[in-house]
Amino acid sequence: MIKLLRINQLYTRCDTSLFKFRTTASLRTTTKILGQERANKAINTALNIKHSGYNLFVMGNTGTGKYTLLDKLLKEKVKSENNIYDWCYVNNFNDYTSPKVIKLPPGLGIRFKKNMQKLVKVFQEKIPQTFKQKDYLLVKKNLEKKIKYEQDKIFHELKNEARKSDIFINDTTAGVTISPLKEGKTLTSEEFQAMDIYEREKIENNILFYKNKIDENARKELEIGKSLIEEMKVIDNNFITNIVEKNMKSIQQKYSIYKNIIEYLNDVQSDIIENFEEFIQVESPQNANNIENILSQSLVSVPSFDIYDVNVFVNNDKQKGAPIVYEQNPTYSNLFGRIEHISHMGTLTTDFNLIKAGSMHKANGGYLIIDARALLFQPYAWEGLKRMLQSKKIHLETVEESMGLTSSVTLNPQSVDLDAKVILVGSPFIYYLLYEDDEDFKHLFKIEADFEYETIRSNENMLLYAQIIATLIKKNNLLPLTKKALGRIIEFSSRLVDNSKKLSTDFSSIVDLLQEANYIAKFRAANNIKNEDILTVLNDRKNRSERIKEEVYEQIKQGVIQIHTTGEKVGQINGLSVLDFGNFIFSIPIKISALTRVGKEGVLDIEREVDLSGAIHSKGVMILSSFLASRYSHDFSMSLTASLVFEQSYSIIDGDSASLAELYTLLSSIANIPIKQNFAVTGSINQSGEVQAIGGVNEKIEGFFDICKLKDRNFKANVIIPYSNIKNLMLKEEVLDSVRKGEFKVYAIKHIDEGVKLLMNIQAGVRKENGIFPKDSLNYMVERRLIEFSELSLGKKYK
């Protein structure tokens, strides 16, 4: 059935009488999402299943409302969830390289940190004061007196003993001296030398004896001094233990229900008692001048009390409900945290206070949303994410450590328990790529939310569409739309998806159009965006992108690229090709020609022979061969060599949308029947000759229209398209005007035979009961010619 399409089939206008308002300013804003019921249900399912592996992958085209719907559902969900905590790192006094993690209720982390800072300040004040108290000084003084008495007693006993042997031992500032005595008086050197040799030898032996005794006494005094130090340590420890335990009681009672804090406080208490000297302030010399004072202070090592600090690396004090974290730059460190370093005297150092949280830490107890494409672009981030999800722990390490590429000593913090749902947002391509090639993916992301890129163009949806547009206008502070402008936006939306029965859900493209139209309207000092403003934007967009198109059209006009739009030619037809430059798509006619002769090679695709044919195009050519054999050579062997070529094509040809035109060209060449050159044909076929839908139908029709108009202002032209593509038609206004004038016509067909009469002015013909086609039909002529080829190939003369 040949169908000449009417204006309302070539372009489906929006009935603006549906809108009961003058401008969109009177419309209420809405939070509804259009056409995403399937995705909505999938997201809710994923959010409500708490079992392992039920993370979510949200896929869909840009601008379809993925983040908007996700944000809306998450904000509703987290209101009823409060499974959040503060996370703190503290010093591990048994192993400084392995900081301990403490989990606390929201807000308690900061309070605990302040309490610890206050506690340290108390000890900084009270520990030095302890050693200035009268009780302590009295005990110390008595002990020193006792030790001094013991040491003096030993010396005096030795001194008295020596005197009996005529030896005088004296304790001077220069040290202990030994002198000989006679009758209680110290001998001079002359007197000593004048003595009898035997007496002198006796005295020298005594002096030597008491020198040894003095050395022995010195050792005894040293042991007594050591005992003083040990006793002082015990005394100091008793005083410090008393003051520390007394001041620790309040904080221990405050956090008595938190076992991990009590264990930490016990470790703190033991460390302070053991290292109390750090809390004793070193006083600068009082009589030193400024320079000396500065120099002396610079040489003193100032004790650091950072080891008693609390690093609250996740603070949920002000968090209401479960956290929702969007990670825009999912690097390894941004996701899983990092350990910072500081330079000190030319050396990089670190401690637990320099541990910084990643977005996964911040999202713990809630939801982490990551752009899948950005994640996959970051080295080792995807593998790290899988590792954390599988272990249910966030282990903080560098990329080098995770790969085993470093052996330097660094921190190895205790892992944090992971309780967060991860949501990846990306394209369908990324989802299916991961599902196919990554074995872990399907076990970790068990639910997908697939966003529709189009929805039904019903009255109900158009009214909702109007509300959504009104919401976007207010959100972006734009001028309101008139009814006609809104209608034009809806028609533009249908053109975006190449379907007059559908609306695009890509609202990012709609916002772009609104913002450009808003500029046009404000430029003319208008209060509303009108239909003319929308048309101006669309025309401006086209003009900005048409440089390449105009260059190609100029070559066609000058005859460099040969396209015929008048007359008739055997074995030649106008096909339609689409050129896609990303931001701009347009179509040009392309001459398809065929030559046929006797042979056994079948249908040769010249593009394929020179590797300029894609797989789908080659498949389409093979279907042509199958169709010819099936229709015409039931009782004879087909002996045909036919060559098909896209003339003046110098790049890869792919797709099967030219197979219908190629078949008409072959039939024309075989039967020697000319084809009207003011026709262009697009469509694919199956082995039965049924015409199938193709893509880019609007661009193809408009492209042939532009070329016909370019070559002859008084043109008469036609396009044949598949019947199943009627719903895709949303042609530009210039084409519609030409159709109204009868200059341009669009035909839709379901079977190849339907287009024969239009193209070749001859009936296709249907086999009669005797199995023979009518003599005045194309099919009869084709079959007769193929029989002739077969007989000629066998050396017979065709009758």
Side-chain angles (χ1 to χ4, degrees), residues 46-50 54-56 70 74-75 77-85 87 314 316 319-326 359-370 389 394 417-423:
L47 298 185
N48 286 290
I49 296 179
K50 300 301 181 183
Y54 281 89
N55 298 294
L56 175 66
L70 195 57
L74 283 174
K75 285 180 178 177
K77 179 68 176 171
V78 299
K79 290 178 183 177
S80 59
E81 296 180 345
N82 200 31
N83 186 33
I84 56 173
Y85 298 92
W87 293 90
V314 176
N316 283 314
Q319 180 67 38
K320 303 299 181 184
I324 304 171
V325 178
Y326 289 88
S359 53
M360 186 161 275
H361 294 101
K362 297 172 185 176
N364 218 357
Y367 304 90
L368 175 60
I369 298 94
I370 309 172
L389 291 175
I394 311 171
D417 292 335
L418 175 60
D419 179 25
K421 193 173 289 289
V422 176
I423 301 172

Side-chain angles (χ1 to χ4, degrees), residues 472-473 476-481 485 489 492 496 507-526 528-545 583:
L472 293 172
I473 286 172
N476 291 277
N477 195 28
L478 306 175
L479 294 174
L481 294 170
I489 293 283
F492 169 77
L496 278 179
F507 284 98
S508 63
S509 297
I510 302 299
V511 170
D512 291 343
L513 180 59
L514 289 171
Q515 289 172 337
E516 293 174 41
N518 183 75
Y519 162 74
I520 299 295
K522 282 190 173 182
F523 185 78
R524 59 181 182 82
N528 300 309
I529 298 174
K530 294 184 177 181
N531 181 43
E532 293 76 13
D533 300 321
I534 304 295
L535 292 175
T536 300
V537 170
L538 295 177
N539 286 330
D540 288 348
R541 284 184 174 184
K542 187 177 72 168
N543 291 334
R544 288 196 298 268
S545 306
N583 66 326

Side-chain angles (χ1 to χ4, degrees), residues 635-778:
D635 51 5
F636 66 91
S637 177
M638 192 164 64
S639 299
L640 171 69
T641 294
S643 58
L644 274 172
V645 67
F646 283 67
E647 303 287 359
Q648 294 185 283
S649 172
Y650 309 106
S651 57
I652 296 290
I653 299 291
D654 203 5
D656 62 353
S657 64
S659 58
L660 177 61
E662 289 171 323
L663 183 54
Y664 282 132
T665 310
L666 279 173
L667 297 176
S668 168
S669 178
I670 294 169
N672 199 31
I673 301 294
I675 294 175
K676 298 174 184 177
Q677 297 301 294
N678 65 339
F679 272 84
V681 177
T682 184
S684 70
I685 63 164
N686 60 25
Q687 294 185 103
S688 301
E690 295 170 332
V691 181
Q692 302 169 146
I694 44 84
V697 65
N698 289 296
E699 289 79 8
K700 290 176 177 179
I701 294 172
E702 291 169 354
F704 188 62
F705 168 83
D706 289 340
I707 294 302
C708 292
K709 182 180 176 182
L710 182 71
K711 292 178 72 68
D712 184 1
R713 286 284 178 181
N714 300 314
F715 69 98
K716 294 286 184 178
N718 312 269
V719 175
I720 296 176
I721 66 169
Y723 190 90
S724 51
N725 276 122
I726 294 176
K727 66 180 185 300
N728 302 115
L729 296 177
M730 290 293 290
L731 297 173
K732 62 183 181 181
E733 191 63 35
E734 191 178 4
V735 176
L736 301 180
D737 288 341
S738 185
V739 171
R740 292 188 189 97
K741 296 174 183 177
E743 299 170 342
F744 194 75
K745 295 178 181 179
V746 180
Y747 295 92
I749 63 173
K750 293 182 177 180
H751 195 275
I752 182 175
D753 290 342
E754 296 172 5
V756 171
K757 177 66 174 176
L758 293 171
L759 291 170
M760 305 179 201
N761 204 25
I762 186 174
Q763 295 295 333
V766 179
R767 286 188 188 275
K768 299 178 182 179
E769 292 182 0
N770 59 5
I772 300 175
F773 289 107
K775 287 188 177 182
D776 58 349
S777 68
L778 175 68

Side-chain angles (χ1 to χ4, degrees), residues 87-139:
W87 293 90
C88 312
Y89 270 116
V90 294
N91 187 36
N92 182 348
F93 294 96
N94 296 316
D95 183 1
Y96 289 100
T97 64
S98 302
K100 292 182 177 180
V101 71
I102 293 178
K103 182 172 77 171
L104 295 172
L108 198 59
I110 287 295
R111 291 200 291 275
F112 180 49
K113 179 183 176 72
K114 290 179 179 178
N115 290 151
M116 284 302 299
Q117 290 173 338
K118 183 178 179 182
L119 180 68
V120 171
K121 285 184 179 179
V122 168
F123 287 136
Q124 283 179 289
E125 294 175 0
K126 292 199 172 183
I127 288 178
Q129 291 174 1
T130 299
F131 297 101
K132 296 178 182 179
Q133 292 178 0
K134 289 183 179 180
D135 292 346
Y136 175 80
L137 293 176
L138 181 61
V139 171

Side-chain angles (χ1 to χ4, degrees), residues 587-599:
S587 173
I588 59 171
I590 187 165
K591 184 195 295 184
I592 302 174
S593 64
L595 294 175
T596 55
R597 59 193 180 278
V598 178

Side-chain angles (χ1 to χ4, degrees), residues 158-419:
L158 179 62
K159 186 176 181 180
N160 291 334
E161 181 184 339
R163 184 176 285 276
K164 292 177 182 179
S165 301
D166 291 330
I167 298 297
F168 178 66
I169 300 175
N170 188 27
D171 188 7
T172 68
T173 56
V176 177
T177 62
I178 300 178
S179 304
L181 292 174
K182 188 174 183 181
E183 297 178 359
K185 292 183 180 180
T186 304
L187 293 176
T188 64
S189 176
E190 291 80 6
E191 290 174 334
F192 179 72
Q193 291 296 327
M195 292 180 69
D196 182 78
I197 189 170
Y198 294 106
E199 277 188 65
R200 198 167 59 205
E201 185 178 343
K202 180 181 177 182
I203 290 173
E204 285 177 348
N205 289 335
N206 287 338
I207 288 174
L208 181 60
F209 173 78
Y210 282 105
K211 275 186 178 180
N212 293 331
K213 280 283 191 178
I214 289 171
D215 291 340
E216 186 180 335
N217 269 19
R219 287 192 293 271
K220 289 181 180 179
E221 288 178 6
L222 183 61
E223 291 298 325
I224 293 171
K226 287 181 178 179
S227 67
L228 169 66
I229 293 173
E230 293 302 320
E231 288 190 49
M232 282 304 302
K233 283 183 178 179
V234 173
I235 292 170
D236 289 349
N237 188 70
N238 290 336
F239 272 89
I240 291 299
T241 300
N242 181 56
I243 195 69
V244 170
E245 288 180 350
K246 183 178 178 182
N247 285 278
M248 290 287 292
K249 276 186 179 179
S250 60
I251 192 171
Q252 287 171 334
Q253 290 173 353
K254 184 180 292 186
Y255 298 100
S256 59
I257 63 173
Y258 303 105
K259 181 181 177 182
N260 50 1
I261 290 186
I262 294 301
E263 290 177 355
Y264 169 69
L265 291 175
N266 290 337
D267 290 341
V268 170
Q269 179 174 305
S270 299
D271 189 79
I272 292 175
I273 292 172
E274 184 179 348
N275 301 286
F276 68 89
E277 294 92 347
E278 299 290 334
F279 288 85
I280 301 174
Q281 298 294 324
V282 179
E283 296 181 357
S284 302
Q286 297 296 322
N287 58 350
N289 59 35
N290 290 337
I291 295 177
E292 292 174 342
N293 191 23
I294 294 170
L295 289 173
S296 64
Q297 287 181 353
S298 67
L299 295 174
V300 174
S301 177
V302 179
S304 172
F305 302 103
D306 291 344
I307 60 171
Y308 305 115
D309 205 352
V310 177
N311 178 8
V312 186
F313 70 107
V314 176
N315 176 23
N316 283 314
D317 185 22
K318 297 180 180 180
Q319 180 67 38
K320 303 299 181 184
I324 304 171
V325 178
Y326 289 88
E327 181 51 69
Q328 303 297 333
N329 184 26
T331 63
Y332 194 93
S333 59
N334 283 353
L335 282 172
F336 313 122
R338 65 188 184 279
I339 301 172
E340 295 182 343
H341 294 74
I342 57 174
S343 179
H344 178 67
M345 299 181 68
T347 303
L348 290 177
T349 62
T350 188
D351 62 31
F352 70 94
N353 287 299
L354 296 177
I355 297 174
K356 304 299 179 183
S359 53
M360 186 161 275
H361 294 101
K362 297 172 185 176
N364 218 357
Y367 304 90
L368 175 60
I369 298 94
I370 309 172
D371 181 271
R373 183 175 179 273
L375 176 68
L376 295 178
F377 269 110
Q378 296 298 333
Y380 310 105
W382 170 240
E383 291 300 321
L385 178 64
K386 290 194 298 179
R387 193 163 58 248
M388 307 294 176
L389 291 175
Q390 288 166 340
S391 66
K392 296 183 181 179
K393 288 185 179 295
I394 311 171
H395 185 61
L396 204 157
E397 60 184 358
T398 64
V399 173
E400 293 80 9
E401 288 176 302
S402 68
M403 297 175 62
L405 297 178
T406 180
S407 58
S408 59
V409 177
T410 185
L411 295 184
N412 182 27
Q414 183 182 351
S415 298
V416 174
D417 292 335
L418 175 60
D419 179 25

